[in-house]
Amino acid sequence: MSTQDGGHREAAIAAVAERDYGTAGDHYTRAAWRVLADPRPEAEPFAPDEKGWTGVGLGFLALAGICYRIGGTAERATRRSVEGVAVARDLAEGVERPAQRACLGEFVADFRAVGGTDDHEAAYREAADAYRAIRERGGDAPDGRGPQYWGTTPLFEAAAAPIKQVARGLSNGEIAVAWEDLHGPDPADPGAFLAARAAYKRQRFPGLLDRAVEEGFLAAPRGTTEYSTDHHRCPACSSTDVNWVAGRALCLRCSRPTAER
């Protein structure tokens, strides 16, 4: 996702690789503020935007809260949760597409889950209802494109990124939340197709977060992967599988920096 984060995303991932989750949370927070203020040269944060670039900043803010929570500073995670809910609701006032408003409602639920509040289930149900209402309008994508279009825009991808990153850390670095998990089986029914996102997260995300906190581990995001290499070996776990992300060679399995051999 090409946004103007001032290099803080890369710094956050470097801190995640060192398991310095407090520093990672700080950098994800700074990345979020930079993107929310000025997402891209051609994108205004408060103007309607078909791609939803500002949502990338919300994704960073959610990851900041996750890092703080895993790092043992739950009060900072709660503050990021409160900030995220407020920003997502504010942004929803300025978007024209119902699908984007529903996705921002999905973000509200995510932030409540990240903050560990008791009202995340109701928020996920509200987001699912908002998605289902799209069916009554015969779809919502521009130029006649189906709901798959929305799932590949920056806003929707940013809303999927936190659960994917948390889940892969609990699955030996492999993809644990796929497109098929997040979306319904029939894109001809756009409301149900997109509502599946909120329903899946309601069932899975809080539990995944609790497990990640218990294990004290967050994986780096998945980039380009290479298996059974003859040129890298992880000093921490001896794996030869590499995850190339944010300009770094990280171990696919434990997300530690891996070394050339």
Side-chain angles (χ1 to χ4, degrees):
M1 297 178 186
S2 180
T3 50
Q4 302 178 136
D5 61 55
H8 291 296
R9 174 182 178 269
E10 289 189 5
I13 292 171
V16 166
E18 297 296 336
R19 305 198 180 183
D20 183 357
Y21 298 121
T23 298
D26 292 345
H27 280 293
Y28 272 129
T29 299
R30 295 176 71 182
W33 287 340
R34 290 286 293 266
V35 174
L36 288 169
D38 193 14
R40 284 165 64 90
E42 74 280 9
E44 294 291 335
F46 301 115
D49 168 18
E50 182 181 305
K51 298 292 185 181
W53 287 104
T54 310
V56 177
L58 288 175
F60 290 152
L61 201 60
L63 285 167
I66 292 167
C67 287
Y68 290 136
R69 189 169 162 189
I70 292 174
T73 51
E75 67 281 359
R76 300 199 79 187
T78 299
R79 287 197 287 271
R80 294 297 171 266
S81 170
V82 172
E83 292 166 9
V85 168
V87 173
R89 284 178 167 169
D90 186 60
L91 290 174
E93 294 296 321
V95 300
E96 297 176 344
R97 300 282 184 175
Q100 290 182 318
R101 284 198 295 272
C103 187
L104 289 166
E106 181 183 323
F107 258 123
V108 167
D110 288 343
F111 280 114
R112 288 178 173 171
V114 168
T117 61
D118 294 333
D119 49 1
H120 60 270
E121 286 204 13
Y124 279 126
R125 294 183 192 280
E126 288 175 11
D129 288 343
Y131 280 129
R132 291 190 189 100
I134 296 171
R135 175 178 51 195
E136 299 172 5
R137 288 180 284 270
D140 191 40
D143 303 325
R145 287 172 283 188
Q148 301 100 318
Y149 167 81
W150 289 118
T152 59
T153 60
L155 174 63
F156 280 70
E157 289 185 339
I163 188 174
K164 288 182 176 181
Q165 190 166 336
V166 170
R168 69 177 298 269
L170 303 170
S171 300
N172 200 29
E174 296 293 351
I175 296 172
V177 177
W179 170 276
E180 295 79 11
D181 297 320
L182 284 171
H183 299 95
D186 183 11
D189 185 349
F193 184 84
L194 294 173
R197 296 170 57 97
Y200 181 84
K201 286 183 177 182
R202 178 176 56 82
Q203 296 167 358
R204 295 292 313 281
F205 198 22
L208 290 170
L209 285 167
D210 287 343
R211 286 179 55 200
V213 171
E214 183 179 351
E215 296 189 13
F217 174 57
L218 176 69
R222 188 177 174 107
T224 300
T225 57
E226 191 174 357
Y227 290 80
S228 302
T229 69
D230 58 4
H231 46 75
H232 279 80
R233 180 179 294 276
C234 177
C237 71
S238 298
S239 172
T240 58
D241 301 331
V242 181
N243 178 32
W244 306 92
V245 61
R248 295 176 177 272
L250 303 181
C251 177
L252 179 67
R253 303 305 171 190
C254 70
S255 288
R256 293 281 197 180
T258 190
E260 292 189 53
R261 59 171 181 165

